[in-house]
Amino acid sequence: MIRMKDIVREGHPVLREIAQEVEMPPSQEDIDTLKKMQQFLANSQDPEISEKYQLRAGVGLAAPQINISKRMIAVRLEEEDGKEFYYSLINPKIVSHSVEKSYLTSGEGCLSVDRDVPGVVLRHARITLKGFDIERGKEVKLRLKGMPAIVFQHEIDHLNGIMFYDRIDKENPLLAPEDAIPIG
């Protein structure tokens, strides 16, 4: 079981590396790692389990965050309308995106960052991504907008050594462009 002590924090060199592609078909070890990542997210969202094990709630986790420099991410997110985004992806890649931007009005957080970092993190409002999903056993193509699009972009950034606060304007951290879509 992945716990908070297993999650590397900002300053760890693996968080700034470009993660390696995963050879296909994936090894059983890679599949097991992704399943553990997905289980961590489920546990972190369960009030009883998260309290018992002192887990911070998360909606996404990238393999570099558990000190594995491979292109694997887990996302577990449920929208207010009940639509679920439970994906355990190998080699996810954004294949297209909108010019239009969006951002979370509350700002972004990260399991690898133990401090509050205020600021507007601009993301693409809509993305299309492809990746091999171990739960479904095949490549999937996802068209995303809103919160799911932001979460997937945040996790894919981890695979490229990018932290969310790298995307905050240093001069005007709280300034949101008028044409960007606020999500919140």
Side-chain angles (χ1 to χ4, degrees):
M1 176 178 160
I2 296 173
R3 299 218 178 130
M4 291 309 295
K5 68 176 174 48
D6 302 310
I7 295 175
V8 298
R9 302 308 203 277
E10 62 180 321
H12 192 291
V14 74
L15 294 173
R16 292 300 187 175
E17 291 174 10
I18 293 178
Q20 299 298 307
E21 288 272 322
V22 176
E23 278 192 40
M24 297 302 286
S27 68
Q28 191 58 50
E29 183 183 3
D30 288 338
I31 291 169
D32 291 346
T33 297
L34 258 175
K35 286 182 177 177
K36 286 179 191 162
M37 290 165 59
Q38 188 63 245
Q39 188 60 53
F40 169 84
L41 294 175
N43 290 344
S44 80
Q45 293 174 22
D46 180 303
E48 216 170 277
I49 296 173
S50 66
E51 186 178 337
K52 180 178 178 182
Y53 294 105
Q54 298 296 295
L55 305 177
R56 277 178 49 205
V59 292
L61 187 64
Q65 292 180 274
I66 55 169
N67 203 16
I68 297 173
S69 191
K70 291 187 173 182
R71 300 188 80 77
M72 302 189 300
I73 64 170
V75 170
R76 187 174 193 88
L77 172 68
E78 198 171 310
E79 289 196 303
E80 287 174 11
D81 63 5
K83 187 166 186 199
E84 295 175 339
F85 295 87
Y86 297 171
Y87 290 94
S88 302
L89 299 179
I90 291 176
N91 300 330
K93 183 180 231 151
I94 295 172
V95 294
S96 68
H97 60 78
S98 65
V99 172
E100 192 174 33
K101 301 286 189 180
S102 66
Y103 63 95
L104 292 180
T105 55
S106 59
E108 289 187 25
C110 180
L111 292 166
S112 292
V113 178
D114 290 330
R115 60 193 173 97
D116 188 33
V117 184
V120 171
V121 182
L122 285 179
R123 302 278 185 191
H124 299 292
R126 290 173 306 285
I127 61 169
T128 300
L129 71 85
K130 286 183 179 176
F132 183 85
D133 185 21
I134 64 159
E135 308 293 332
R136 293 159 183 83
K138 64 179 184 181
E139 184 174 85
V140 293
K141 183 178 183 179
L142 306 174
R143 287 186 176 85
L144 304 164
K145 64 180 182 178
M147 180 73 165
I150 288 172
V151 171
F152 278 92
Q153 287 173 84
H154 178 113
E155 298 313 323
I156 289 172
D157 268 358
H158 276 303
L159 304 181
N160 295 315
I162 299 168
M163 299 295 283
F164 75 92
Y165 49 71
D166 297 340
R167 297 190 177 278
I168 296 174
D169 183 327
K170 305 296 177 259
E171 303 296 314
N172 292 304
L174 300 174
L175 183 68
E178 285 181 23
D179 58 350
I181 301 168
I183 311 279

